[in-house]
Amino acid sequence: MNTSELLSRLQKDSRSISNADISLARAYAMEAVEHVPEPYKTIYSSDYFIFLYESFLEIRKCRPDEIVIREIDPADYEAALSSINEKNDPGDRKRDAMNRFISIVHIYLTFIVKKPLHPVGMIFPGGLKITEDGIFYYCPVKDKQTETGISFCEFCICKNSEEQ
């Protein structure tokens, strides 16, 4: 499969996400950080969800001639989908909605537009941020999050900030 074919698939899948699903996903994002202190609570919920939603809207309006056509490694693609599906709980409507939403957005960011899974400039504890140098993206927590079992960092295109 190539990026054009994947974009077409993601656009089709995006049409199955209703406004109610988006509301449930947003509620999940808000609840997931309810015990996190400010300003991180807002950054990891509202701000991050806005980034995801804007990426979702970008998918819906993206035209195949706006992307670079390249082959997608089937093993990497299946591993990313499997990781997302492993974190799902169909019995939890909010989490299920969030995972379906993320399965579209994260795949788009990772395989089609090659962007980080968090917005550039997003602040992490200690004041560290996701940065870019015009060629690569860097994340200050990539190597700390890949083994938590809840993140998708292993699929993010960011390099560890220490590689800068």
Side-chain angles (χ1 to χ4, degrees), residues 43-76:
I43 291 167
Y44 300 152
S45 59
S46 299
D47 295 351
Y48 180 57
F49 196 80
I50 289 168
F51 167 75
L52 292 175
Y53 184 69
E54 287 172 348
S55 298
F56 180 76
L57 294 177
E58 186 178 304
I59 293 164
R60 286 189 162 179
K61 69 177 183 169
C62 187
R63 295 187 333 253
D65 63 337
E66 296 175 325
I67 62 169
V68 175
I69 308 295
R70 62 179 144 323
E71 287 299 310
I72 294 170
D73 182 304
D76 290 345

Side-chain angles (χ1 to χ4, degrees), residues 15-160:
R15 291 190 290 275
S16 71
I17 304 290
S18 68
N19 288 339
D21 292 327
I22 292 169
S23 293
L24 287 170
R26 185 175 186 285
Y28 178 81
M30 301 301 279
E31 290 172 8
V33 295
E34 71 183 348
H35 299 295
V36 174
E38 289 293 353
Y40 304 109
K41 182 178 194 172
T42 299
I43 291 167
Y44 300 152
S45 59
S46 299
D47 295 351
Y48 180 57
F49 196 80
I50 289 168
F51 167 75
L52 292 175
Y53 184 69
E54 287 172 348
S55 298
F56 180 76
L57 294 177
E58 186 178 304
I59 293 164
R60 286 189 162 179
K61 69 177 183 169
C62 187
R63 295 187 333 253
D65 63 337
E66 296 175 325
I67 62 169
V68 175
I69 308 295
R70 62 179 144 323
E71 287 299 310
I72 294 170
D73 182 304
D76 290 345
Y77 174 72
E78 289 301 323
L81 278 183
S82 178
S83 178
I84 292 167
N85 290 332
E86 286 171 6
K87 295 169 180 68
N88 197 15
D89 180 359
D92 180 337
R93 290 181 54 219
K94 291 175 188 172
R95 185 172 183 173
D96 181 58
M98 183 63 152
N99 274 42
R100 287 186 295 114
F101 189 64
I102 282 178
S103 72
I104 295 168
V105 175
H106 280 190
I107 295 297
Y108 172 75
L109 293 170
T110 301
F111 294 101
I112 296 178
V113 294
K114 302 283 187 184
K115 291 182 179 177
L117 300 181
H118 293 93
V120 172
M122 183 171 179
I123 300 171
F124 291 93
L128 303 171
K129 298 178 183 180
I130 292 182
T131 61
E132 66 177 311
D133 64 7
I135 299 171
F136 298 108
Y137 296 96
Y138 298 93
C139 178
V141 298
K142 181 168 178 122
D143 67 336
K144 296 164 188 67
Q145 296 298 314
T146 55
E147 297 175 16
T148 65
I150 60 169
S151 74
F152 301 101
C153 297
E154 67 269 26
F155 304 106
C156 184
I157 64 144
C158 283
K159 295 180 176 289
N160 190 326

